Structures are given as C-alpha cells and as structure tokens.
Amino acid sequence: MPSLVAVVVSHDSAHALPACLTALAAEHVPAIVVDNASRDESAAVAEAAGARVVRNARNEGYGRANTLGIRAAERAERVLILNPDIVLQAGAVDALLRAAAAYPEAGLLAPRLMEPDGRFFYQPRSLLAPYLTNPAGNRASPEGDACAPFLSGACLMIRRDLFLALGGFDPNIFLFYEDDDLCRRVADSGRSLVHVHGAVALHGRGRSSAPEPGRVFRTRWHQAWSRAYVSRKYGLPDPSPWMLAVNAPKAALASLSFRRPLIERYAGSAAGALASLQGRTALAWEGLA
C-alpha cells in the first residue's frame, strides 16, 4: 500500500483528539498533529496518543497549519487531511486507497461524512464551482462513488506531491473557503474530485475547538472576509457590500435583545465584510502579517 500520513490541525482540541487519533491508529495511519498554540492540553494529548506534534508559537490558521504539517510528512506518498472532530470508521482508509487506485485521474478523494444525528453530509454546491452550478442547492446525494464539484475540507486525501505542486492551501486565508479554493485549483488542473461512498467518517461538525467567548464573532468575521477574498480571486462579484448592508442592521437590532451569540453572528459578518472593503487582510487582523 502507498505510504499515507494523516495531518490534523488542533486548536484547543484536547476533547476531540483522543477519538480521532485512536481511529487513525486502528487504521494503521501515523499522524502528525500541528498544534496552533492551544491553551489546553492538545499537544500533550496528541503526544500521549503516539502522534508526532508540530507546535506553532501562534495560531497560524487552518490551511496554513495544514501546509506546515504536509511539508513535515516528508516520506508520505499521500496525506489524509482531517479535522480533530473526524472519527474514521473501520475500513475507511482501505476504501480510500482502493478508490485512489481505481480512479488514477482523481486529484482529491473524500469519505462519506456522517453527522452526529445520522445524516449524510454532502455539499450540494460550491461558490467556486461554476462549471457544475446548483443555484437552488437541491440535494441529490450520491449512492456510490461519484465525481463532485466540491469536497469538504473536514477530511480529504491527496497526493503530497500534487498538494505541494499546487502551492498548498492559499496562505492568505486564515479560516474558511480554503477547501473550496483547493478544490477549484485541483479541478482546474484537470483532475477530478471523488466522493468515496464506502469510506465512512463520523463528523462532529463544529466541535474541533472548545467554545469560548467571541468565537462566534471571529468565525463570522472570517467567513465574510474569506468569501469576499475568494470571490475576487476568481473574478466573481464582490459580496462584501451586500453582506455589510444585510448584517449591519441585523447587528443593531440584535443588540436590543442582549443575546450575545446573535449579536456576535451579525456583527462579525458585518465587520468581516467591512474589513474586506477597506482592504484589510485576515492575516493582519490575526496579527500574522
């Protein structure tokens, strides 16, 4: 079998890592955990589970940290990129590797993601997949292996040399849309994106990092900023004016309710859109520029 190394980015993920790393060990896949300056015991938990740990002095963001981990996996032919809240089911890795051999034209392969409530998560459309549009977002979930316009970054398998040849994840993105961007570049290189139905992974979805005050605002800020960034990158209309016009009034109204999550949601989206319009970058906002 080709050499395969898993790369997991952690940030305050001590609660999620044990199940993720135990499942990888059961599939005989060595793991590299890139710890983004966690304030909990993430790094120690990863080391106790037998993973190699790369410790970042600061939070480098999801895509940037993954690229660091993939560069560190020097002997790997393929890398498996997965969130800490992903738990691979028995046989998932073998199914992915069989699919890679069966579909040599595939650039990215992903397992079937199952939500905690038993639902099958499948993205019906992508902002950056104009060649396979689905404006209404109608769901027609695969019943077997299938080519897809987009694969979730929660769990992806790719050849290491291809990933590096494409430049890795876009280093300008701190969080969100880095998977859309990578899928677009893989597709533009002439390779397919393959959903592997027989490989199953449980997805905690949103449980990779422990909750903290301000997390909703920060999340929404990056969602708005990254959407505007990738839209401009691929010549799509800038959504920032619309996002600011919609979310600023909602933030003002939400402030009357004193409901912090609601205030953070709309205020974060408005602030991210405004930052994009002002020419500010995500890296500068995170103190990385």
Side-chain angles (χ1 to χ4, degrees):
M1 295 196 317
S3 62
L4 178 68
V5 172
V7 175
V8 182
V9 172
S10 62
H11 178 67
D12 296 342
S13 307
H15 62 287
L17 282 170
C20 176
L21 297 177
T22 297
L24 285 170
E27 295 289 282
H28 307 291
V29 179
I32 295 176
V33 173
V34 183
D35 186 63
N36 266 337
S38 291
R39 294 154 295 185
D40 63 8
E41 297 301 312
S42 292
V45 167
E47 287 176 335
R52 175 184 171 189
V53 177
V54 176
R55 298 172 185 254
N56 286 334
R58 55 189 183 182
N59 189 346
E60 293 286 343
Y62 180 75
R64 291 160 59 92
N66 264 302
T67 299
L68 287 172
I70 292 169
R71 290 190 184 280
E74 296 176 354
R75 297 183 181 180
E77 181 179 342
R78 298 181 185 275
V79 289
L80 185 65
I81 303 164
L82 67 164
N83 288 355
D85 61 355
I86 288 286
V87 179
L88 294 175
Q89 300 300 280
V93 168
D94 284 342
L96 286 169
L97 292 173
R98 284 195 301 269
Y103 313 122
E105 76 287 353
L108 279 170
L109 301 102
R112 173 161 43 113
L113 297 177
M114 302 302 297
E115 302 286 358
D117 60 5
R119 290 184 299 171
F120 168 25
F121 172 78
Y122 186 75
Q123 189 83 356
R125 59 184 173 181
S126 169
L127 171 67
L128 301 182
Y131 40 85
L132 280 174
T133 58
N134 184 6
N138 296 323
R139 293 189 179 276
S141 300
E143 297 178 1
D145 293 354
C147 288
F150 168 83
L151 296 172
S152 171
C155 190
L156 295 170
M157 189 173 77
I158 188 171
R159 288 186 62 91
R160 180 177 180 270
D161 57 359
L162 172 60
F163 179 85
L164 296 178
L166 292 173
F169 284 113
D170 187 327
N172 295 306
I173 300 174
F174 184 84
L175 190 63
F176 294 112
Y177 288 97
E178 60 278 284
D179 49 356
D180 295 73
D181 174 73
L182 180 64
C183 288
R184 173 65 180 262
R185 286 184 284 132
V186 169
D188 286 349
S189 74
R191 296 168 176 87
S192 56
L193 283 57
V194 177
H195 161 83
V196 183
H197 206 68
V200 179
L202 302 184
H203 185 201
R205 200 164 186 209
R207 295 185 174 91
S208 289
S209 296
E212 63 176 328
R215 181 183 174 191
V216 173
F217 180 94
R218 188 183 191 189
T219 296
R220 290 288 173 167
W221 192 101
H222 281 293
Q223 282 180 330
W225 187 92
S226 295
R227 183 181 180 92
Y229 171 79
V230 297
S231 294
R232 290 194 304 271
K233 180 175 178 178
Y234 291 97
L236 300 174
D238 186 352
S240 298
W242 176 83
M243 287 191 291
L244 180 60
V246 169
N247 287 285
K250 288 184 177 181
L253 289 173
S255 66
L256 301 176
S257 71
F258 299 101
R259 293 167 60 187
R260 181 169 182 165
L262 201 61
I263 297 169
E264 287 192 13
R265 176 181 179 178
Y266 296 125
S269 295
L274 179 60
S276 176
L277 288 170
Q278 292 174 334
R280 297 174 62 193
T281 69
L283 299 187
W285 195 65
E286 291 287 345
L288 293 172

